[in-house]
Amino acid sequence: SPLASPRAGGGAGGRAVLYQSADAHKDQTYFLSQLSQSQLAKTLFPLGALPKSDVRRLAHQRRLPNRARKDSQGICFLGQLDYDAFLRGHLGERRGEVREFETGEIIGEHRGLWYHTVGQRRGVGPALGPRHVSRGPWYVVRKEMDSNVLFVSREYASADKPRNAFHADAINWIGGAPPPAGAAGEPTPLRVKVRHGAASHEASVSLLDGGARAHVSLAGRDKGLAPGQFAAFYDGPVCLGSGVISEEGL
């Protein structure tokens, strides 16, 4: 469990509200942004108002057995287990083609699409033939689940690709409805996180389909925009909810 957690509180009309924790680097609201009202209303985050340094200090004062335990990195419940070994044990392998995105040329073979994340280089090199590795670095740009094809490119982060806008689908609004201004059809200024961590983007969010979808324009570039990942929306310290980043517009 995280040592620093978000905070849940009451909002207008007695509805539950998800606040970011006092420790921005340990905040978990990105992962909790799909919670419903009924789930959040029954949830308590007793450490949410404390930075990690205070939690450590209190643990030492009370001589808790885990007071000196190192922070977990990555997926905390895996312990010492290798991430790829965890995936292999639960999902196995399903080999398929690796193709260059721009040309469609087959340049390697992957062990399973679940070992790769759009926007990342990790694991691509071992999947390529020797002739193509030296042409890199290569980035994952698309995963086609139906055909089991992994598309990679050397141009993913090139300056001519803006990487500053995307569509979000299947949005969960924790409060049960989108922000009032957005519901009225006006672009709404919000903060957006496209991955876990303290970093966020200032953004203009235009709601579509009654708030079930949105077009998101970021104030800056983000070369790691990845279809299938969540985009979480924030109004000040309040996490409003999240939607799934679509391939549309990327």
Side-chain angles (χ1 to χ4, degrees), residues 47-214:
L47 302 180
L50 298 175
K52 181 64 174 286
S53 57
D54 284 358
V55 175
R56 287 283 189 196
R57 177 176 53 79
L58 292 170
H60 278 279
Q61 287 178 358
R62 289 159 174 77
R63 301 190 62 79
L64 298 181
N66 60 344
R67 60 188 179 275
R69 183 176 178 179
K70 294 181 179 179
D71 287 4
S72 59
Q73 302 293 327
I75 304 178
C76 57
F77 60 81
L78 290 186
Q80 299 300 315
L81 183 63
D82 176 72
Y83 178 65
D84 282 358
F86 173 78
L87 291 178
R88 192 178 304 113
H90 285 268
L91 300 175
E93 295 187 354
R94 185 188 174 203
R95 295 184 176 272
E97 297 171 347
V98 179
R99 290 179 176 265
E100 184 173 18
F101 180 73
E102 289 78 9
T103 66
E105 178 186 359
I106 299 174
I107 59 175
E109 181 183 62
H110 66 81
R111 297 180 296 118
L113 293 178
W114 41 84
Y115 293 101
H116 301 277
T117 301
V118 173
Q120 291 191 354
R121 296 167 50 185
R122 179 184 177 277
V124 175
L128 303 181
R131 182 168 62 91
H132 301 288
V133 173
S134 60
R135 297 169 54 208
W138 295 89
Y139 296 85
V140 176
V141 295
R142 179 175 295 176
K143 302 191 292 184
E144 287 194 352
M145 304 304 293
D146 292 341
S147 60
N148 195 33
V149 175
L150 181 72
F151 288 93
V152 299
S153 172
R154 293 172 293 164
E155 307 297 328
Y156 185 80
S158 61
D160 63 333
K161 296 186 178 182
R163 299 283 176 189
N164 62 358
F166 60 89
H167 281 82
D169 296 336
I171 299 177
N172 170 64
W173 297 107
I174 293 173
E186 303 173 10
T188 305
L190 297 173
R191 285 190 302 114
V192 177
K193 283 188 179 186
V194 294
R195 65 185 61 83
H196 171 59
S200 63
H201 292 277
E202 298 295 329
S204 176
V205 180
S206 300
L207 301 184
L208 307 168
D209 299 338
R213 302 174 61 239

